[in-house]
Amino acid sequence: MHFTPQQMAGGPRFHHHCRIGNWSEDTSLDEVKLKDFIKKKEAGNLLVNAKQKRLQKSLTPVDLSLCANGVVHFGDAVMLANHQTRCFLSVDPHDKVSKDRDCFTVTASGTVTSVARNVFVMKRANHEDGFGESTELHYGQHFRLATCEALAESETYLHSEPVSPLAAAKISRFQEVVMHPVADG
């Protein structure tokens, strides 16, 4: 696209009815942009629609487990809150991090309703941990947090790595926390 000296100098913006400079080209370009927008809108390819479709799966409501006896059991659906930041631990399944396998980023969210991205399932880390067949989580017992079924086709597990030149959080540069497809550690 070519600009007139007035446009390049940042002069006042003229409307097409002023007919100054490349007015015919500007009018044609505006028409092409409008037609392209309408075409994308009808096809459902607008960036806003794509993001809304991605978020729809992440924001599906999920029921939390009710603890009648006040004890957390393996298999319970839970939300983790940080009282200092007043946020909940959340997974962003559309923000992938490349490790030895594809991982999802973990962040904090102010969403207080239980949705797929901020509900985790308690999993037993080791069946030979000395607590027998008990499904209750005991003090000092190792456990894993996995994503709920509504979020991903396969389970991913909470995983963190110490800060190193190769692993650090994008913004804070602190310890990186991700959801990893392999239960390790």
Side-chain angles (χ1 to χ4, degrees), residues 3 10 26 28 37-38 51 77 84 97 102 138-139 163 178-179:
F3 296 100
D26 291 344
S28 299
F37 172 78
I38 291 171
K51 188 170 185 173
Q84 184 177 0
V97 177
D102 280 341
H138 296 86
Y139 181 78
V163 176
V178 296
M179 295 304 288

Side-chain angles (χ1 to χ4, degrees), residues 47-145:
L47 186 59
V48 171
N49 293 343
K51 188 170 185 173
Q52 186 176 9
K53 286 177 186 174
R54 285 194 327 224
L55 285 176
Q56 189 174 11
K57 185 175 182 180
S58 298
L59 298 176
T60 54
V62 175
D63 292 329
L64 295 175
S65 300
L66 297 175
C67 302
N69 59 356
V71 178
V72 177
H73 294 84
F74 292 110
D76 283 354
V78 298
M79 290 174 62
L80 297 179
N82 181 327
H83 290 286
Q84 184 177 0
T85 61
R86 295 186 179 138
C87 291
F88 291 90
L89 191 68
S90 299
V91 179
D92 189 358
H94 307 291
D95 189 9
K96 294 189 178 182
V97 177
S98 293
K99 298 281 182 193
D100 56 339
R101 293 185 171 85
D102 280 341
C103 301
F104 304 130
T105 58
V106 175
T107 185
S109 170
T111 306
V112 296
T113 57
S114 57
V115 293
R117 71 181 297 232
N118 62 8
V119 172
F120 298 89
V121 178
M122 302 292 294
K123 298 285 182 174
R124 194 170 194 160
N126 183 2
H127 290 284
E128 296 160 7
D129 53 10
F131 292 100
E133 296 298 318
S134 174
T135 62
E136 297 177 351
L137 178 63
H138 296 86
Y139 181 78
Q141 188 175 11
H142 293 255
F143 65 93
R144 292 191 174 100
L145 287 174

Side-chain angles (χ1 to χ4, degrees), residues 35-47 49:
K35 287 179 184 177
D36 186 42
F37 172 78
I38 291 171
K39 183 178 172 184
K40 284 183 178 180
K41 184 177 178 183
E42 289 173 352
N45 294 335
L46 288 177
L47 186 59
N49 293 343

